[in-house]
């Protein structure tokens, strides 16, 4: 269960954490919480809540999700829109993979995060690109291997 994806050297303009982006994310999170998980451009979106790797504070982000193969798993991608760096939430998952919560369809679900590698990652990535072709374009803009993460419902 290693989170070991390095930054790339090139990529699309990285979404910044400026005030406008934070405001947009908070509006999306509010809408997801009140109306369900249909997000921007028709994708399924969940609220991912992680514990900050440096601060220890909870951080929430809207993230596109894809079916993980059964009812207790969800697949997400740390694409950062094809940017050269992994999103901050990726490092939060790496630091605290067992302190993750998602909000989806009015439910708050405790999950464990696991980065996929090798063939398993390739199969999941192919499903992501089939469902959302714009994700496939991200691999042409960055030299970073885009992390694919499985979120699995925690027992108990």
């Amino acid at each position: 269960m290693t989170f070991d994806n390095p930054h790339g050297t090139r990529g699309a303009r990285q979404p910044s954490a400026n005030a406008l982006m934070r405001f947009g994310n908070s509006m999306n999170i509010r809408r997801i919480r009140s109306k369900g998980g249909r997000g921007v451009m028709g994708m399924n979106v969940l609220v991912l809540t992680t514990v900050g790797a440096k601060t220890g504070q909870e951080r929430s982000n809207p993230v596109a999700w894809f079916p993980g193969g059964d009812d207790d798993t969800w697949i997400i991608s740390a694409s950062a829109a094809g940017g050269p760096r992994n999103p901050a939430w990726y490092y939060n998952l790496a630091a605290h993979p067992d302190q993750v919560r998602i909000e989806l369809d009015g439910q708050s679900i405790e999950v464990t995060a696991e980065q996929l590698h090798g063939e398993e990652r390739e199969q999941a990535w192919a499903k992501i690109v089939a469902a959302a072709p714009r994700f496939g374009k991200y691999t042409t803009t960055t030299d970073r291997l885009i992390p694919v993460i499985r979120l699995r419902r925690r027992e108990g």
Side-chain angles (χ1 to χ4, degrees):
M1 184 188 317
T2 60
F3 286 80
D4 57 0
N5 202 76
H7 294 304
T9 59
R10 65 176 174 79
R13 184 167 178 258
Q14 193 96 14
S16 68
N18 64 30
L20 183 59
M21 179 63 83
R22 286 191 305 271
F23 176 75
N25 277 349
S26 69
M27 294 301 293
N28 276 331
I29 288 169
R30 202 170 315 154
R31 187 173 51 73
I32 293 164
R33 286 176 174 156
S34 67
K35 296 185 179 186
R38 214 52 173 160
V40 180
M41 296 186 240
M43 288 192 299
N44 292 321
V45 181
L46 54 78
V47 177
L48 177 71
T49 301
T50 60
V51 174
K54 294 178 184 176
T55 66
Q57 296 179 11
E58 283 195 348
R59 305 286 185 206
S60 295
N61 295 279
V63 177
W65 69 272
F66 303 88
D70 63 46
D71 290 340
D72 289 333
T73 61
W74 301 265
I75 301 295
I76 60 175
S77 167
S79 65
R85 300 177 63 85
N86 298 312
W89 58 258
Y90 171 82
Y91 298 103
N92 296 346
L93 289 177
H96 307 287
D98 294 325
Q99 296 179 35
V100 183
R101 182 177 71 247
I102 62 173
E103 294 173 62
L104 179 65
D105 297 331
Q107 296 180 12
S108 180
I109 304 167
E110 300 289 326
V111 297
T112 299
E114 171 190 13
Q115 183 171 336
L116 302 180
H117 297 281
E119 185 62 29
E120 194 172 26
R121 183 223 174 260
E122 294 305 318
Q123 289 174 0
W125 182 251
K127 288 179 184 177
I128 290 170
V129 171
R134 72 180 141 272
F135 276 70
K137 295 177 185 172
Y138 298 154
T139 60
T140 65
T141 60
T142 186
D143 57 350
R144 172 176 64 92
L145 181 65
I146 296 173
V148 176
I149 295 123
R150 177 177 27 238
L151 304 172
R152 183 178 307 278
R153 183 185 303 262
R154 275 201 308 261
E155 297 297 321

